[in-house]
Structures are given as structure tokens and as C-alpha cells.
Amino acid sequence: AMASGLEPDLAALRRELSGPAALSVLIALIAVVVTFLIWRFVQGRRSSRKAVLLLGLCDAGKTLLFARLLSGRYRDTQTSITDSSATYRVSRDKSTNVTLIDLPGHESLRLQFLERFKAAARAIVFVVDSVAFQREVKDVAEFLYQVLVDGTILKNAPALLIACNKQDVTMAKSAKLIQQQLEKELNTLRVTRSAAPTSLDSSGGPAQLGKKGKDFDFSQLPMRVEFVECSARGSKGEEGDADLEGLEKWLVKVA
């Protein structure tokens, strides 16, 4: 008797579950599951990229910066002809670390080594000699342009820090001026090379730097770009500490 009394309610429930409302709920659940799976996939790919690449021209101070981050100590360096890598602990938590990779800055080597390590890059530190910048601005912009139009880097969009090094020297240019000059030079390069791009994006078409029809600025890039002033040598030279606080804080964020 009880079962027969519940039959109308059960029938109504079956009709409700087979109606439009149930279909909407099912679609919403599927959307949530697909979104979660995509998020896990993206996070998995990002977590597999543990490298922080140190790039820049020769004598920008990459190797000394690399040594200071790892040991805190000053050491004499010379122009690198191969890569150097080491695990960098970004905090006292030993499970939080990245792999720092110092790449050669010589014109004949830098793109070759970038090609080897770019797919593993979680982040890039592009080191600029703030003292020689005015003299080297075209070369700096040329190398940075080649990095920014690379298809793999455009696709993965690793965080990018422009480290304006050698700020201990009186004649060093500020990060603000360096940013302005680089944007100007990169815009010029984009215009002059638009007819014959040096790289292809992931779809096989010409890579586009920034937004078409607008003067270039770093906010147009797919990755987040920041500038920081630093000194791998430090104001007291060999006997003192480096001034890398801004860089170290940035490494904590991207780890």
C-alpha cells in the first residue's frame, strides 16, 4: 500500500529527471568537469617547466648574478661559452625551487642555447648592462626581439623580468629609461621586419610582436613583463653584498 501511494511521486521524479532541467544540470556538470581537466592539464604543463633562463649580451653580468643568487659570494667571471645550471631554493621551504640556467651571451651562441632550453622555461631573466645600455641599446633590442617572436616562447608565455644590472655605478640608466628605449627600439624593429619576419608562431604564420596598428609596449605581450634595478656586484664591490632584493622577490613569485 505504501509503495502504491509513493508511485505518483516516483513517476513525477522520473519525469523531472528526464526533462529539460535534468539536461541543463547534466550540461553544467560536464562543463565543470571539462574545465577542471583543462586546468589540470595547463597546470601540469606549467609545473613541468622548472627552468629560469638568464639571458643577455656578453658582459651584462649574468654569470656573476647567477653565482650571487646561488652562494651570495662574489667571484671573478669570464665570458661563458656554455650553459651553467643549478637548483635555486627560492625560500627556506626546500620543496620550493627552480633550476637557474645561465646561457652564453655571445652573438654566435645565444640563439643556439636558447633553442635548447626554451621549452623548459617557466620564466626568463633578461639581464641588461645599465651602464653600457645607451651604447648597446640596438643590440639589446635585437636579441630581445628574437626572444619575443619565438614561437615556443609566445605559446608558453613564461614570465619575463628585465633585470637592469650594475646600478651601483653612477652612470647607470634607470629601469624606466631602459623600458622606454627598449619599447621604442622594438617598435622600430617590428616595423622594419614586418615584411620578412625572423620567426614563425605556433600556427605557422608570421609572428606578430605587440598589437597591429599601435606603437609597441610591453603590456601587449602574452607574458607578464616586469623591470627591476639590481647590482650583482653591489655598492661595496667584492667585499659587499649584491643588491638583488627585487630579483629575489620576483623569483619567489614565479617559482
Side-chain angles (χ1 to χ4, degrees), residues 11-240:
L13 182 59
R14 281 194 293 269
R15 287 195 300 271
E16 187 68 24
L17 289 174
S18 62
L23 182 60
S24 299
V25 171
L26 181 61
I27 292 173
L29 286 172
I30 292 173
V32 169
V33 171
V34 170
T35 301
F36 176 74
L37 291 175
I38 292 173
W39 178 83
R40 286 293 299 271
F41 174 74
V42 171
Q43 288 297 311
R45 289 194 62 186
R46 183 178 182 275
S47 63
S48 68
R49 300 196 303 270
K50 296 286 288 182
V52 176
L53 308 184
L54 302 183
L55 307 180
L57 303 187
C58 286
D59 300 322
K62 300 185 304 300
T63 303
L64 179 56
L65 189 150
F66 176 78
R68 284 285 208 177
L69 285 171
L70 294 173
S71 69
R73 295 189 294 271
Y74 178 89
R75 81 175 195 198
D76 290 325
T77 62
Q78 56 188 10
T79 301
S80 303
I81 59 172
T82 188
D83 61 280
S84 299
S85 64
T87 299
Y88 173 73
R89 312 288 183 187
V90 299
S91 69
R92 293 181 181 178
D93 176 8
K94 292 186 177 181
S95 65
T96 308
N97 61 74
V98 294
T99 302
L100 286 181
I101 307 179
D102 174 28
L103 302 186
H106 193 279
E107 186 177 4
S108 64
L109 297 172
R110 57 197 184 207
L111 292 181
Q112 168 190 335
F113 279 88
L114 176 63
E115 183 69 25
R116 183 182 304 176
F117 293 104
K118 64 185 181 183
R122 169 173 294 204
I124 293 173
V125 178
F126 192 96
V127 185
V128 174
D129 183 337
S130 304
V131 179
F133 177 73
Q134 209 66 51
R135 183 176 72 252
E136 297 179 343
V137 59
K138 291 187 182 300
D139 292 332
V140 172
E142 168 80 26
F143 184 21
L144 186 56
Y145 178 87
Q146 291 171 320
V147 173
L148 294 177
V149 298
D150 181 274
T152 300
I153 291 173
L154 283 172
K155 181 181 178 181
N156 292 341
L160 173 63
L161 182 73
I162 310 295
C164 305
N165 193 26
K166 305 187 182 181
Q167 290 292 318
D168 55 293
V169 181
T170 306
M171 299 299 291
K173 301 298 183 288
S174 69
K176 184 176 181 180
L177 184 145
I178 289 172
Q179 177 176 350
Q180 292 171 344
Q181 289 295 312
L182 281 178
E183 286 177 339
K184 182 179 177 182
E185 289 294 332
L186 287 168
N187 188 63
T188 300
L189 281 170
R190 178 180 65 169
V191 171
T192 56
R193 298 191 178 191
S194 58
T198 58
S199 181
L200 298 178
D201 66 18
S202 57
S203 65
Q208 174 66 44
L209 184 66
K211 294 182 179 178
K212 191 173 182 179
K214 292 187 176 181
D215 288 342
F216 172 78
D217 66 68
F218 285 102
S219 67
Q220 298 167 2
L221 294 172
M223 70 282 288
R224 182 171 181 176
V225 183
E226 297 180 52
F227 283 72
V228 69
E229 295 181 353
C230 63
S231 173
R233 183 176 176 85
S235 58
K236 295 183 179 179
E238 300 178 19
E239 303 302 321

